[in-house]
Amino acid sequence: MLGDFMPFLANVLVQLGYAGMNITSKLAMESGMKPLVLVAYRQIFATLAIAPFAFFLERKTRPKITKPILIQIFFCSLTGATANQVFYFVGLENTTATVACALNNVLPAATFVLAALCRQEVVGIKKASGQAKVLGTLVCVGGAMLLSFYHGHTVGIGESSIHWKYADEMTSKSSSNGSNFFLGPFLVMASAVAWAVWLIIQGKTSKNFPAPYTCTALMCFMSSIECTIIAIFSDHKVSAWSLSSSMWLIAALYAGIVCNAVTFCVLSWSIQKRGPLYVSVFSPLLLVIVAVLSWALLREKLYVGTVVGSVLIIGGLYAVLWGKDREIKQMKGNEEICSEKDGKEDLELQLHPQPQAKANHQAGAA
């Protein structure tokens, strides 16, 4: 019983961890921290946190690090760490945390489209699984468009009775500064596309270099250099890199250690226990948690367009996941049928040998 409950609890805690990152990062950026600087610090702290795991856990099993492997990891760092997180955090600065989490759920649909274009995924439009994946992708895209370009009336759920003075001050500043409601959602969707590209590249890299902790440590190290260069070019002020503000320090440490190092270990364990599809099912939970926390702490208002768009995205997500799950089950069923058929043929050959084989056996005996 406990063994069945632990993966569930682990995935819920992971989504809580990611929700905390969205709230602390949003507060840090609203208090003046540059998103590119936050991303650079996240990669630096993540490298320092993951490196010991890579050294001690894979010291004896780590394959040789060759030049082609380093090139593959470099492209992983460009897509999965640098582009994905730069786009996401700049997008988070220009939109609400709830909208950012909702749009992040288009990832399975984006991955399906890119994998189909790269011929790593079979569409199978004549099968129910293929139809579910295509329909789910279209629903996800439609929900993302609705959420990005239509707000509508506010949902009357009242105001939170929780009053956090620091959050109230930061949210009042951000409301006076304003945000770009087109740029924010667009960049969050771009981060999902970058993450989908990383998933495709990482799939090949994992086969060639089966050392996940070392691969992640190298990827974060390369990304820390890339993000630092980008951040320096965007802002030359030394004060932008100061961590004297407690919220800036908390956001950087939290994003790097909790949301990179700890969650990676937990997700790796959970995938090993229950598989990647089981882990993917929990991603919409992040949207619910962030929506509640944003309403309670950041005074965010929920709009009709946000609610309807989020429901469509989650519906499309589960349609894609259902189609993929059914496709995997069909493939396993076909493999089992083929193996049973081959086994029966071998058994028949042993019990009833062919006349030619029998004649050869007798000639050899003579």
Side-chain angles (χ1 to χ4, degrees):
M1 182 66 71
L2 184 62
D4 295 334
F5 178 70
M6 286 306 293
F8 172 81
L9 178 62
N11 280 278
V12 172
L13 291 176
V14 165
Q15 299 307 321
L16 283 170
Y18 280 133
M21 183 202 71
N22 280 274
I23 300 300
T24 55
S25 298
K26 185 68 176 174
L27 285 172
M29 288 185 288
E30 287 178 351
S31 64
M33 190 176 192
K34 301 296 182 182
L36 297 178
V37 174
L38 177 56
V39 172
Y41 272 126
R42 175 179 180 174
Q43 297 306 322
I44 292 170
F45 289 133
T47 304
L48 296 174
I50 296 175
F53 291 96
F55 179 77
F56 290 107
L57 297 180
E58 297 175 342
R59 181 171 48 183
K60 297 180 180 179
T61 60
R62 185 187 304 114
K64 184 180 180 181
I65 302 175
T66 61
K67 186 177 180 181
I69 293 297
L70 285 175
I71 293 173
Q72 290 181 17
I73 295 175
F74 171 71
F75 282 110
C76 285
S77 71
L78 280 178
T79 55
T82 301
N84 167 55
Q85 293 183 18
V86 165
F87 287 150
Y88 184 82
F89 278 90
V90 176
L92 181 62
E93 185 187 33
N94 287 277
T95 189
T96 65
T98 304
V99 170
C101 291
L103 290 172
N104 213 31
N105 282 299
V106 304
L107 173 62
T111 306
F112 166 66
V113 172
L114 290 175
L117 292 175
C118 297
R119 296 184 179 180
Q120 293 186 6
E121 182 82 22
V122 179
V123 178
I125 193 64
K126 294 182 179 180
K127 297 180 180 179
S129 58
Q131 294 169 2
K133 289 189 291 185
V134 173
L135 180 62
T137 300
L138 294 176
V139 172
C140 268
V141 173
M145 294 298 103
L146 179 66
L147 191 146
S148 302
F149 302 114
Y150 175 75
H151 285 158
H153 298 289
T154 56
V155 179
I157 57 175
E159 292 188 359
S160 170
S161 59
I162 301 174
H163 294 284
W164 182 12
K165 186 178 179 181
Y166 181 85
D168 289 342
E169 292 176 356
M170 292 304 105
T171 50
S172 62
K173 286 182 181 179
S174 66
S175 60
S176 61
N177 293 334
S179 59
N180 193 321
F181 287 104
F182 171 76
L183 180 64
F186 175 78
L187 288 176
V188 173
M189 285 188 284
S191 77
V193 174
W195 187 252
V197 174
W198 173 79
L199 287 173
I200 295 172
I201 300 174
Q202 182 63 28
K204 295 182 178 180
T205 305
S206 298
K207 294 179 181 178
N208 299 328
F209 188 70
Y213 294 102
T214 303
C215 183
T216 304
L218 289 172
M219 185 178 72
C220 291
F221 174 71
M222 293 178 183
S223 179
S224 64
I225 297 173
E226 296 158 8
C227 293
T228 300
I229 293 172
I230 295 172
I232 290 174
F233 271 102
S234 67
D235 196 336
H236 302 286
K237 297 178 181 177
V238 179
S239 58
W241 293 85
S242 172
L243 292 178
S244 57
S245 169
S246 59
M247 182 52 68
W248 292 20
L249 179 62
I250 291 170
L253 287 171
Y254 188 96
I257 296 174
V258 175
C259 294
N260 269 39
V262 176
T263 55
F264 173 79
C265 297
V266 174
L267 287 175
S268 298
W269 174 81
S270 184
I271 289 172
Q272 184 181 6
K273 291 290 183 181
R274 291 297 179 88
L277 191 67
Y278 180 83
V279 174
S280 301
V281 170
F282 286 85
S283 59
L285 180 62
L286 173 62
L287 172 60
V288 177
I289 297 171
V290 169
V292 173
L293 291 178
S294 298
W295 168 78
L297 301 177
L298 304 183
R299 300 289 187 269
E300 282 187 10
K301 295 180 179 179
L302 281 179
Y303 295 93
V304 173
T306 304
V307 174
V308 176
S310 299
V311 170
L312 288 174
I313 289 173
I314 293 175
L317 165 71
Y318 280 120
V320 174
L321 292 176
W322 179 87
K324 187 63 181 175
D325 182 49
R326 182 161 181 173
E327 183 183 76
I328 292 171
K329 289 179 179 178
Q330 288 174 347
M331 290 174 63
K332 287 182 178 179
N334 293 335
E335 289 176 358
E336 289 175 359
I337 292 171
C338 290
S339 61
E340 288 177 3
K341 187 177 180 181
D342 293 339
K344 288 180 180 179
E345 290 178 354
D346 292 340
L347 184 61
E348 288 178 359
L349 286 173
Q350 291 175 7
L351 296 175
H352 306 287
Q354 297 295 324
Q356 184 63 36
K358 188 175 180 180
N360 292 338
H361 178 73
Q362 291 176 351

